[in-house]
Each structure stands twice: as C-alpha cells, then as structure tokens.
Amino acid sequence: MSRLLFVKSSVFGEGGQSSKLADRLIQRWRAQTPEVEVITRDLVSQPIAHFDMTAITALSTPAADQTPVQKEIVALSDQLIAEVQDADAIIIAAPMYNFAVPSQLKAWFDQIARNGVTFRYTENGPEGLLKDKPVYILATRGGMYHDAGLDYQVPWLKLILGFVGLKNVHVIMAEGLNMSDADKSIAEAQQAIDSIVFN
Ligand SMILES: Cc1cc2nc3c(=O)[nH]c(=O)nc-3n(C[C@H](O)[C@H](O)[C@H](O)COP(=O)(O)O)c2cc1C
C-alpha cells in the first residue's frame, strides 16, 4: 500500500496544464500500484489563509489556553503537516505565476515550514525534520526560463523542500506553454512522466 499526497495550485483547476500532467503521473502510479491511496490537497478550491499574526499567536499558545478559533487554526496546520508526514511520495502541481509559485502554494508552505516540527535551528544551522521521500514537481510556465536566471519557481521549491528535509526532488518541466511550441513542450513532459520508474 502506498499513499500519495497530491498538492495542486493551478487557478484553472482540472484544466490547468500542471494539474493535467500531475493526473497523468498519478494514473501511471495507479497502473503500477492499483491500491495506491491519493490524498488531494486542492489549494484553489480550499484556499489556505495567508500566514499572519493570528496564526503565529495560535501556534505559540499552549493547547489548554487556546480559543476555539485558535484551536481551528492549529488543527489545520497539524493536518497539513500530517498529510506530508504520512505520505510515501508527494506530487506538487506548480505553475509559474509572476515568476514564482502561486500564492496559494506559498500559503501552504507557510504552514508546512513549522519551527520545531518540520525544521529546527541547530548550532550548525537549520535542520529539516521531515523524513525524506520522493517529491515530483510538475512545473509549468508560459515563457522560457530554463538557464535564464529568472526562475523563482523551481529553485525556490527545491530550497523550501530541502529546508524541511525533502531532498529527493524530481522536476518535470513544461516551458513555453503560451508560445508556439507549446504542444511540443507538453509532449516532452508527458514523455518524461511516462519514463519515470517508481521504486
Ligand atoms: C496570474 C498568472 C501569472 C502568470 N505569470 C507568468 C510568468 O511570470 N511567467 C510565465 O512564463 N508564465 C506566466 N503565466 C503563464 C502560466 O505559467 C502558464 O499559463 C502555465 O501553463 C500555467 O499553468 P497551469 O495551467 O497549471 O495553471 C502566468 C499565468 C497566470 C494566470
């Protein structure tokens, strides 16, 4: 039995290119492991609030002293982290919006990166506390950024995932989706998905 956490963040929902590529990857996984359980965290249909002082206060208040609203905030944060901890692999559908990830996906990471739970500071610097597991990123973008030094989407995703201990990151990229060669880019990404060997 394996459990996949599917995190999706395209505002186009099912029609998003990153969502479609992720669906293909999940279908391949199902073909290999029919009993796989897929937990979907849809950050657009179920948006997570921006991280703010209310959240900071809730997370730093002892459980016995929390108000009902604070308990709700902590419960959601705990649930989001548990979904990551309990997964055998994570699939992140991540379009590029304004050179970076969608704000919905940033809000999710703001909940996942929790001091003392998923990372901690040591004398030697920060240490990720999550057990490493494969993370597949389906990265889509309208333009071409590969090697242009303007990509704040994929390098940032690798940085924040590594920060919490997830270093086994695989990126499937579809670039130039608003350009003339979009079909070729999609076909190449589909081919890359079809050649993944799941362990
Ligand atoms: C709000 C918004 C901002 C975007 N910003 C960029 C950008 O900075 N660079 C880029 O190459 N494409 C940009 N795009 C195009 C998307 O990256 C492209 O359409 C991609 O396929 C979206 O993936 P999705 O279909 O999974 O949402 C933007 C699209 C939207 C809706």
Side-chain angles (χ1 to χ4, degrees), residues 10 12 16-18 95-99 140-143 145 177-178:
S10 169
F12 300 105
Q17 300 287 4
S18 58
M96 177 189 277
Y97 292 162
N98 298 313
F99 302 99
T140 52
R141 60 274 284 273
Y145 295 89
L177 298 188
N178 292 349

Side-chain angles (χ1 to χ4, degrees), residues 94-151:
M96 177 189 277
Y97 292 162
N98 298 313
F99 302 99
V101 297
S103 56
Q104 290 90 342
L105 186 54
K106 174 67 166 56
W108 181 76
F109 274 107
D110 287 341
Q111 295 288 345
I112 298 302
R114 202 157 121 198
N115 195 1
V117 181
T118 58
F119 75 92
R120 69 179 166 202
Y121 291 109
T122 72
E123 281 175 8
N124 302 320
E127 182 189 8
L129 297 177
L130 287 174
K131 185 169 154 269
D132 206 2
K133 59 193 77 186
V135 180
Y136 296 89
I137 297 174
L138 290 308
T140 52
R141 60 274 284 273
M144 302 293 289
Y145 295 89
H146 211 57
D147 298 331
L150 295 170
D151 182 352

Side-chain angles (χ1 to χ4, degrees), residues 51-123:
F51 201 73
D52 59 8
M53 204 54 214
T54 311
I56 291 174
T57 307
L59 289 167
S60 55
T61 301
D65 301 332
Q66 287 165 4
T67 65
V69 171
Q70 288 175 329
K71 279 189 199 305
E72 230 174 87
I73 290 169
V74 174
L76 176 63
S77 178
D78 287 348
Q79 186 187 343
L80 295 172
I81 291 173
E83 285 173 0
V84 172
Q85 288 169 330
D86 295 347
D88 297 305
I90 302 170
I91 295 172
I92 301 178
M96 177 189 277
Y97 292 162
N98 298 313
F99 302 99
V101 297
S103 56
Q104 290 90 342
L105 186 54
K106 174 67 166 56
W108 181 76
F109 274 107
D110 287 341
Q111 295 288 345
I112 298 302
R114 202 157 121 198
N115 195 1
V117 181
T118 58
F119 75 92
R120 69 179 166 202
Y121 291 109
T122 72
E123 281 175 8

